[in-house]
């Protein structure tokens, strides 16, 4: 991967994480229901902590000096939030209010974690040490 391509990947991931991280504070109710019920404590706390983590990782990816670390952190973050994605799919599948298309979408997005993780690892691998 060329330096420019690696930089573009890092910036795309950074933008995605920044946007979603900010959304955790603007519309926290969207994320509260995604917190796995097995976790102790208040769902809102997890929503805010994950929002801060996403914004911090976005910053690490955006800065060339911390991009390698940011790639590692992004991959770990994408893996860490996978249980929330599973919880969302389970919740949506049980909901009588959601359309079959919305339910299918909740399942279809689960495999999308794979390219996010691989892209983050590619940024890590191609960034300066």
């Amino acid at each position: 991967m060329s330096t420019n391509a690696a930089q573009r990947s890092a910036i795309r991931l950074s933008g995605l994480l920044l946007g979603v991280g900010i959304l955790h504070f603007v519309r926290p109710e969207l994320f509260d229901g995604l917190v796995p019920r097995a976790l102790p404590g208040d769902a809102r706390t997890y929503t805010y902590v994950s929002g801060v983590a996403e914004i911090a990782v976005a910053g690490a990816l955006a800065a060339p000096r911390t991009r390698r670390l940011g790639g590692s952190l992004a991959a770990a973050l994408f893996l860490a939030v996978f249980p929330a994605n599973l919880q969302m799919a389970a919740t949506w599948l049980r909901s009588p209010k959601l359309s079959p298309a919305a339910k299918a979408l909740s399942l279809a997005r689960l495999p999308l974690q794979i390219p996010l993780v691989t892209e983050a690892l590619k940024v890590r691998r191609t960034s300066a040490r």
Side-chain angles (χ1 to χ4, degrees), residues 82-117:
F82 191 69
N85 293 339
L86 289 173
Q87 179 68 52
M88 184 192 89
T91 300
W92 285 26
L93 288 173
R94 286 191 300 265
S95 174
K97 297 177 183 177
L98 293 175
S99 70
K103 292 177 181 184
L105 178 66
S106 74
L107 291 174
R109 71 184 290 271
L110 293 174
L112 295 177
Q113 290 300 115
I114 296 167
L116 290 173
V117 171

Side-chain angles (χ1 to χ4, degrees), residues 42-107:
D42 183 42
R44 184 61 53 94
T45 301
Y46 288 99
T47 295
Y48 288 151
V49 168
S50 62
V52 167
E54 288 171 338
I55 292 167
V57 172
L61 284 165
R65 290 183 64 180
T66 57
R67 189 165 288 150
R68 182 174 171 79
L69 173 63
S72 298
L73 294 172
L77 181 63
F78 292 138
L79 291 172
V81 300
F82 191 69
N85 293 339
L86 289 173
Q87 179 68 52
M88 184 192 89
T91 300
W92 285 26
L93 288 173
R94 286 191 300 265
S95 174
K97 297 177 183 177
L98 293 175
S99 70
K103 292 177 181 184
L105 178 66
S106 74
L107 291 174

Side-chain angles (χ1 to χ4, degrees), residues 1-11 64 67 122-123 126-128:
M1 179 182 284
S2 73
T3 303
N4 287 339
Q7 182 178 359
R8 285 192 302 273
S9 288
I11 298 305
R67 189 165 288 150
K122 196 181 304 178
V123 167
T126 58
S127 295

